[in-house]
DNA sequence: CGAGTTTGACCGGCGC
DNA sequence: GCGCCGGTCAAACTCG
């Protein structure tokens, strides 16, 4: 896919989508590779003003039905459920389907299982699942009227990674967290280079 | 005391 | 039809 090379940054804004025109037709090109929202040059690992460097340093796009890594996909982890413009850097129909369904999964290298994505989540269940030694945790957006859910579990192959699956689209504004990511041209994987918590 | 978490029970979907 | 499994519910519990 036509993604800019190392250091090219993706800027994800929870409210940046403007309208909720979702989804954009696949194949219309990656809005990020064309430059628009990610013209922020402060990336490539640099921590710009207001950017909080966090421990999330690796992202892996996963499918929504089993977490098969490797597909170069939406570089949008946390904001995926918020910004409909997710998944368009992935030109596979599968990823488009994932985006269209409001489901997205990704893998994050983090010590923390709960990533601060700007929303408030309420845990409603925990279950150990087959084929994984780690339990899966179930969360619901605690905002009244919002039915977005997410599942969080440790990667069965590498406990250093947390697999998060979002389902649904928030119907409300979030306190706001902007995620910055860039892609490693060698591996094709996306890296979170920083986050920016917006003022409420 | 209210909000959030824990945890066992329950339910529905799916494969055999 | 049956059993397994993932997802959800809800009562009890914890914490601030």
């Amino acid at each position: 896919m036509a993604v800019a090379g190392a250091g090219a940054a993706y800027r994800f804004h929870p409210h940046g989508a403007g309208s909720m025109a979702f989804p954009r037709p696949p194949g219309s090109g990656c809005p990020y590779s064309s430059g628009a929202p990610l013209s922020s040059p402060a990336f490539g690992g640099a921590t710009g003003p207001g950017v909080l460097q966090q421990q999330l340093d690796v992202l892996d796009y996963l499918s929504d039905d089993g977490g098969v890594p490797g597909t170069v996909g939406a570089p949008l982890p946390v904001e995926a459920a918020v910004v409909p413009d997710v998944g368009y850097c992935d030109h596979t129909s599968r990823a488009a389907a994932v985006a269209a369904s409001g489901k997205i999964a990704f893998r994050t290298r983090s010590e923390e299982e709960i990533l601060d994505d700007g929303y408030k989540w309420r845990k409603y269940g925990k279950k150990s699942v087959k084929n994984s030694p780690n339990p899966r945790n179930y969360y619901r957006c605690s905002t009244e009227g919002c039915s977005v859910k997410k599942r969080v579990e440790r990667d069965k192959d590498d406990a250093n990674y947390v697999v998060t699956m979002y389902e649904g689209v928030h119907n409300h504004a979030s306190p706001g967290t902007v995620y910055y990511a860039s892609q490693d041209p060698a591996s094709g994987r996306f890296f979170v280079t920083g986050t920016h918590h917006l003022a409420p």
Side-chain angles (χ1 to χ4, degrees):
Chain A
M1 75 191 228
V3 172
Y10 298 91
R11 185 165 188 270
F12 305 129
H13 194 293
H15 309 306
S19 73
M20 294 301 278
F22 172 47
R24 202 175 295 183
S28 61
C30 174
Y32 303 120
S33 63
S34 61
L38 48 110
S39 51
S40 175
F43 285 123
T47 300
V51 175
L52 297 177
Q53 202 73 25
Q54 292 194 337
Q55 291 183 341
L56 342 164
D57 58 277
V58 173
L59 289 176
D60 247 352
Y61 176 81
L62 301 175
S63 75
D64 65 327
D65 62 354
V68 179
T71 304
V72 176
L76 252 201
V78 178
E79 301 304 336
V82 185
V83 182
D85 282 5
V86 169
Y88 295 106
C89 285
D90 180 332
H91 295 162
T92 67
S93 58
R94 182 190 186 90
V98 169
S101 70
K103 293 182 181 180
I104 193 165
F106 56 91
R107 196 171 71 152
T108 306
R109 183 176 167 185
S110 172
E111 308 237 339
E112 301 290 329
E113 287 192 15
I114 308 305
L115 307 176
D116 181 8
D117 54 10
Y119 289 92
K120 194 175 180 183
W121 298 95
R122 178 183 179 128
K123 189 174 186 175
Y124 67 88
K126 179 183 179 181
K127 189 91 175 174
S128 30
V129 295
K130 204 180 179 185
N131 297 326
S132 176
N134 306 311
R136 176 179 293 172
N137 296 295
Y138 297 88
Y139 298 87
R140 226 192 310 258
C141 183
S142 64
T143 299
E144 196 173 351
C146 181
S147 59
V148 176
K149 299 170 190 173
K150 73 172 178 180
R151 288 171 286 180
V152 179
E153 64 180 298
R154 287 274 168 196
D155 191 313
K156 66 178 187 298
D157 295 323
D158 188 344
N160 291 322
Y161 289 83
V162 175
V163 177
T164 306
M165 284 161 277
Y166 284 86
E167 184 171 345
V169 178
H170 292 279
N171 59 4
H172 58 95
S174 85
T177 301
V178 178
Y179 282 76
Y180 302 95
S182 59
Q183 187 185 28
D184 177 5
S187 66
R189 292 183 173 185
F190 288 90
F191 294 78
V192 169
T193 55
T195 61
H196 180 196
H197 291 259
L198 301 175

